Amino acid sequence: MQYFDCDKIQYEGPDSRNPLAFKHYNADEVIAGKSMKEHLRFAGAYWHVMRNDLSDPFGAGTAIMPWDDGSNSVENALTRVDVFFEFLEKMDIGYYCWHDRDIAPELNDLSASNDALDQVVAKLKEKQVETGVQLLWGTACLFSHPRYAQGAATSPDANVYAYAGAQVKKALEATKQLDGLGYTFWGGREGYATLLNTNMQRELDHLAAFLHMAVDHANKIGFDGPFYIEPKPREPSTHQYDSDAAACLNFLREYDLMEKFRLNIETNHATLAGHTMEHELTVAANAGMLGSIDANRGDELIGWDTDQFPTDIKLATEVMLVVLEMGGFTTGGLNFDAKRRRESHDPIDLIHAHLGGMDAFARGLKIADAIREDGRLAEFVQTRYSSFDNGIGAKVESGACSFEELEQFAMGNGEPTLSSGRQEMLENLLNEFL
Ligand code: XUL
Ligand code: CO
C-alpha cells in the first residue's frame, strides 16, 4: 500500500520545473570533503509528520490522513509506522525523532502504556533494519497529559515527578533499543506561570536531580549518546527554565551536567527568546556544546511557535556557516521540527514541505561553503581583532595583564583611532553569495 502519491523524490537540478524534484539537494554531491547527505543529516519529526492534524488554537485539525482510523489503538500506531517509513524513503531522509507518545498510545496505566510502546518499538526496529534509517533522538512527552499541567521534573508534586521519571526511564530504554544517537529533554512545562506559587530554587534542584538520574540510568543501560537540552523561553509555560542557550549552559555548569549534555537549538525558539538563530548557535558552539538542530522558522507577524518549514535561504546559510565552522555534526543533525500550514492539508503537502526545507539547506550549505572558500569575511573579522595579536592586546589574551599595565599603555598611547565595522559592506558581501 502506498500512501503518498509520488515516486521517490529525485534530484533534477536548478533548471527543473518539477515541484516534486530536488533542485539543489543532491545527496551524493561532495561539498567541502563530504557528501550533502553526510553534512545535513536530515531527520523527520514523527510528531509533525504523523500526529499533527494541523489544528491551531482557534480551530480544528484539517490534515487528511487516510491511513489513520482516529483510534488510540496499538494497531493504528503500527500502521502509522509503515506510512512514516514510506515517507522517509520517498524523501531520502536518513534519520527521525520521536516522543514516546507520538509513536505509541498512552493507555490507562503506565505498564499498559509501556507494553504498547514495546510493540511499536519492535516494529520501528524492523523498519530501521529494512531501510537503514537511524533514530537521531528519542524523547518523552512530559507536557501533554493533564498530570503534567504544573510541570514534570519541576512539578510541585513528588508523585508526578516519579511518574515522569518512570516515563523517561522507559523512553531512554526504547531509544537505546533503537540504537538512538541521542536523547532530548525539552522542558515545555518545566517553568512556571506565576512566582506567587513557585519555589524556583527547589524546582531547579529537582530538575538537576532528575537529569543526574537520567545520566546514571544511561550509564547503567549502556546508552552512550549525548543528552540534548532544547532551549525555549516560554510557551506553554510563562517562563521556561531552559530559556536560551546561555541559561542552559549556566544551569548545566552549575549542576555539573556538562559532560553528558549538549544543546539542541531550534530556530523558532531562538527568536521567541529575542535572539537570532545565529546567536544561539554561536553561543552553543563557542562552549563546544552545539549538539543538534531543530530546523524550522517563526513568522514575524505571529507571536507564537509557528514551526514553519525552513525555506529561508539566508537563514539556512547562517546555520550552515556555524555548522561548518564547528567541523560538522557528530551525533546530531537537522531535525525538521516543522509543520505545514493549516491550509496545506493533503498528504503530498508533507512531501512539498520537507523537499523545500531540504533544498533550502542544500543551498545554505553550498553558499556557506563558498563564503568560507572565498575567505573575505573571515579575513575581515581576523583583521578587526588584530590589535590583540601582539603587544598589549596579546598580553590581555594571555591572561597576564593588569590594570596598572593598561593604564601605563593608555597614558603613552594617545586617543585610539577606531576602524569602521563596515556592516553594510559585509551585508553586501553576503548578498554576493545569496
Ligand atoms: C516544542 C518542541 C518540541 C521538542 C521535543 O516547541 O520544539 O517538539 O523538539 O519535545
Ligand atoms: Co523542537
Side-chain angles (χ1 to χ4, degrees), residues 47 99 137 139 143 184 186 230 232 266 269 294 305 337:
W47 55 100
H99 301 83
W137 50 260
T139 186
F143 45 88
T184 292
W186 168 65
E230 185 180 317
K232 185 176 180 181
E266 175 164 330
H269 297 181
D294 271 11
D305 195 9
D337 192 353

Side-chain angles (χ1 to χ4, degrees), residues 20-271:
L20 290 172
F22 293 120
K23 319 289 186 301
H24 297 275
Y25 181 63
N26 186 11
D28 297 326
E29 186 179 329
V30 174
I31 310 273
K34 274 199 298 196
S35 71
M36 282 197 182
K37 193 165 187 170
E38 287 168 310
H39 274 290
L40 297 168
R41 295 166 64 92
F42 292 123
Y46 208 95
W47 55 100
H48 283 311
V49 177
M50 296 317 303
R51 307 309 306 274
N52 197 325
D53 66 0
L54 306 181
S55 54
D56 72 10
F58 299 93
T62 58
I64 296 168
M65 298 187 280
W67 52 79
D68 200 303
D69 67 15
S71 77
N72 205 27
S73 68
V74 172
E75 201 188 2
N76 196 21
L78 292 171
T79 304
R80 288 188 203 111
V81 173
D82 288 318
V83 181
F84 186 64
F85 274 78
E86 181 197 327
F87 169 78
L88 293 178
E89 278 195 279
K90 286 193 162 159
M91 295 307 303
D92 193 23
I93 290 179
Y95 300 88
Y96 72 113
C97 303
W98 49 246
H99 301 83
D100 50 359
R101 303 308 183 226
D102 312 326
I103 52 174
E106 172 140 26
L107 299 172
N108 290 336
D109 62 62
L110 191 54
S111 74
S113 301
N114 285 353
D115 287 347
L117 190 64
D118 285 336
Q119 291 179 60
V120 180
V121 165
K123 176 145 186 189
L124 287 168
K125 181 103 194 173
E126 272 172 35
K127 285 298 211 180
Q128 286 186 202
V129 170
E130 194 182 304
T131 60
V133 165
Q134 285 179 275
L135 178 62
L136 192 71
W137 50 260
T139 186
C141 179
L142 302 179
F143 45 88
S144 292
H145 194 281
R147 86 173 69 81
Y148 297 126
Q150 300 178 40
T154 61
S155 173
D157 185 327
N159 302 288
V160 172
Y161 186 99
Y163 204 110
Q167 203 182 316
V168 170
K169 175 179 179 288
K170 184 69 184 173
L172 196 52
E173 288 162 2
T175 302
K176 162 77 183 159
Q177 214 175 322
L178 293 172
D179 303 310
L181 300 174
Y183 183 92
T184 292
F185 289 93
W186 168 65
R189 296 197 194 272
E190 311 296 20
Y192 57 83
T194 170
L195 278 176
L196 290 172
N197 63 14
T198 303
N199 185 325
M200 192 196 288
Q201 189 60 58
R202 284 185 88 174
E203 292 200 357
L204 287 168
D205 291 347
H206 297 166
L207 177 59
F210 194 91
L211 298 180
H212 273 289
M213 286 186 247
V215 174
D216 291 344
H217 195 66
N219 291 337
K220 207 170 289 172
I221 65 174
F223 172 73
D224 43 36
F227 285 135
Y228 302 121
I229 295 237
E230 185 180 317
K232 185 176 180 181
R234 69 188 77 85
E235 199 212 291
S237 297
T238 308
H239 178 96
Q240 189 171 314
Y241 295 129
D242 303 333
S243 53
D244 66 3
C248 289
L249 291 174
N250 181 60
F251 172 84
L252 293 171
R253 283 199 185 99
E254 181 177 352
Y255 288 100
D256 194 23
L257 286 159
M258 290 289 277
E259 202 182 314
K260 183 81 176 170
F261 279 81
R262 295 290 175 267
L263 301 184
N264 179 36
I265 303 291
E266 175 164 330
T267 321
N268 207 162
H269 297 181
T271 49

Side-chain angles (χ1 to χ4, degrees), residues 9-10 18-25 42 87 90-91 93 309-311 336 348-362:
I9 304 301
Q10 304 293 330
N18 176 3
L20 290 172
F22 293 120
K23 319 289 186 301
H24 297 275
Y25 181 63
F42 292 123
F87 169 78
K90 286 193 162 159
M91 295 307 303
I93 290 179
F309 273 84
T311 49
F336 287 117
I348 200 77
D349 287 312
L350 280 166
I351 304 270
H352 289 299
H354 286 77
L355 191 161
M358 292 166 79
D359 259 351
F361 267 95

Side-chain angles (χ1 to χ4, degrees), residues 318-367:
E318 289 163 350
V319 171
M320 292 316 297
L321 278 170
V322 180
V323 172
L324 289 178
E325 181 64 22
M326 77 162 184
F329 293 116
T330 46
T331 53
L334 291 167
N335 171 42
F336 287 117
D337 192 353
K339 60 179 183 237
R340 297 164 285 162
R341 296 308 85 196
R342 195 158 173 272
E343 296 86 338
S344 310
H345 51 238
D346 289 332
I348 200 77
D349 287 312
L350 280 166
I351 304 270
H352 289 299
H354 286 77
L355 191 161
M358 292 166 79
D359 259 351
F361 267 95
R363 289 182 79 178
L365 170 62
K366 286 193 270 192
I367 295 167

